[in-house]
Amino acid sequence: MALINGSHPEEFILLGFADRPWLELSLFLILLITYPTAMMGNIIIILVSRVDSQLHSPMYFFLTNLSFLDMCYTTSIVPQMLFNLGSSKKTISYMGCVVQLYLFHIMGATECLLLGLMSFDRYVAICRPLHYNLIMNQRLCILLVSTVWMCGVIIAVSQSALTLQLPLCGTNILDHLLCEISVIIMTACGEKKATELRIFLVCIILLAVPLCLILASYASIGRAVLKIKSSEGRKKAFGTCSSHLIVVLLLYGPAISMYLQPPSSITRDQPKFMALFYGVVTPTLNPFIYTLRNKDVKGAICKLVRSISCSK
């Protein structure tokens, strides 16, 4: 095995589910369906949010960013997965692994923060409706989203760079479907407890801070909604929040179970299935969650389809 700088291998072998060919074939077929579906669904969300003037609001501005994030998130891992699952060659170059490591964690960290920001937007919309347009103006929305992206990039890049400094001692076999921080640390040799502790603390902050903001926002939202006298008003308020809550549960549930439990309790295949869930399943489901439960988005999609049909 050729090495770079005496430490890093030229390529990694991603074992995945090589010992279970039937599972690899099933995953390959599932990804062939879910990846185009995820891309198409998120592209539609972005298009209708930009084209329909009724969707030119902070809520849909944040939703557009979430859709773009999901597209980048799933694209950072699925093409390589399809290549490895569909062939006997299970390798990825060292630079390819580094790029995947950075992109995957940048998108994941940014999405955690963005979901917290979206809960704040819902809080202002429901608890401060008369001041909503004044508070959530275009300038502030752009500033908040830019801050979320910048924080996500800084956190992910710093943690990924810290992980890549660990010596691999010539090892190039990763028991995973992709290049992830946890599997690189497991593969590394030498003293790594300090790195593990720093990354664990960052994961706690990255998950706990946005989650506390989300819980606090929805506690206030719940109290405000219960004060609404009309059942139609309560239904509309709950409807605009339920989609976001479902997306939060889909992302935070697997992430917390993966990153905030003792390593000794994690099974061999758990990181693989968790990565598939929050890297493939969630980006695929998000567009359906927001469209099927949102009359405005469904109406905008129908208008877009009609305009395309008429132009033809």
Side-chain angles (χ1 to χ4, degrees):
M1 179 180 62
L3 302 179
I4 298 175
N5 296 332
S7 175
H8 300 309
E10 289 185 349
E11 62 182 19
F12 285 105
I13 298 172
L14 296 170
L15 292 181
F17 299 102
D19 56 336
R20 281 160 285 180
W22 61 270
L23 183 55
E24 288 204 331
L25 178 60
S26 301
L27 280 175
F28 179 79
L29 295 175
I30 290 170
L31 290 176
L32 274 181
I33 297 171
T34 56
Y35 180 57
T37 303
M39 295 299 289
M40 185 63 67
N42 285 297
I43 288 171
I44 289 173
I45 292 287
I46 294 171
L47 279 177
V48 297
S49 297
R50 297 293 298 171
V51 172
D52 197 303
S53 58
Q54 291 185 338
L55 303 184
H56 290 175
S57 67
M59 174 181 173
Y60 296 104
F61 173 67
F62 297 137
L63 180 57
T64 299
N65 275 271
L66 180 64
S67 293
F68 177 72
L69 260 174
D70 282 339
M71 289 171 60
C72 297
Y73 204 5
T74 191
T75 300
S76 69
I77 61 173
V78 172
Q80 183 67 44
M81 277 189 192
L82 285 171
F83 176 79
N84 287 353
L85 291 171
S87 67
S88 57
K89 190 178 181 182
K90 311 291 183 185
T91 60
I92 181 172
S93 68
Y94 177 77
M95 287 309 301
C97 184
V98 170
V99 170
Q100 186 181 77
L101 187 78
Y102 278 111
L103 289 178
F104 184 72
H105 290 93
I106 285 171
M107 300 308 155
T110 306
E111 186 156 337
C112 286
L113 299 173
L114 182 60
L115 289 177
L117 177 57
M118 291 174 75
S119 71
F120 173 72
D121 171 67
R122 291 300 83 210
Y123 163 78
V124 177
I126 294 173
C127 299
R128 300 288 187 271
L130 298 179
H131 301 95
Y132 179 68
N133 291 328
L134 181 64
I135 297 172
M136 301 301 291
N137 57 72
Q138 185 179 22
R139 183 178 178 182
L140 179 63
C141 289
I142 294 173
L143 177 63
L144 289 172
V145 167
S146 300
T147 303
V148 161
W149 273 96
M150 184 176 66
C151 290
V153 169
I154 291 172
I155 291 170
V157 168
S158 62
Q159 298 312 301
S160 298
L162 191 66
T163 303
L164 291 170
Q165 290 176 5
L166 294 172
L168 297 177
C169 303
T171 303
N172 75 328
I173 298 176
L174 304 180
D175 190 12
H176 210 306
L177 290 160
L178 56 104
C179 293
E180 197 176 12
I181 283 179
S182 59
V183 72
I184 297 291
I185 292 176
M186 288 173 60
T187 307
C189 61
E191 180 55 43
K192 52 187 177 182
K193 287 186 177 180
T195 301
E196 288 178 334
L197 180 60
R198 283 195 290 265
I199 290 175
F200 179 72
L201 292 174
V202 168
C203 286
I204 290 178
I205 295 170
L206 189 60
L207 292 171
V209 172
L211 188 58
C212 287
L213 176 61
I214 291 167
L215 293 176
S217 297
Y218 278 104
S220 300
I221 288 170
R223 289 194 296 268
V225 170
L226 291 175
K227 293 178 181 178
I228 298 175
K229 295 181 179 180
S230 68
S231 59
E232 186 65 28
R234 286 196 299 270
K235 184 178 178 181
K236 184 177 180 180
F238 276 123
T240 59
C241 297
S242 59
S243 298
H244 180 250
L245 274 174
I246 293 171
V247 172
V248 167
L249 290 173
L250 286 174
L251 179 69
Y252 276 87
I256 290 173
S257 69
M258 184 65 236
Y259 292 106
L260 299 186
Q261 66 172 316
S264 58
S265 64
I266 298 175
T267 63
R268 178 191 170 192
D269 287 338
Q270 186 178 345
K272 303 172 191 177
F273 286 115
M274 289 297 101
L276 282 170
F277 190 87
Y278 51 70
V280 179
V281 176
T282 301
T284 304
L285 292 179
N286 283 356
F288 294 98
I289 293 170
Y290 278 106
T291 54
L292 294 177
R293 303 180 63 85
N294 191 308
K295 292 181 180 179
D296 293 336
V297 176
K298 285 192 287 187
I301 292 173
C302 290
K303 283 197 290 185
L304 180 63
V305 171
R306 283 198 297 268
S307 63
I308 292 173
S309 300
C310 291
S311 64
K312 289 182 178 180

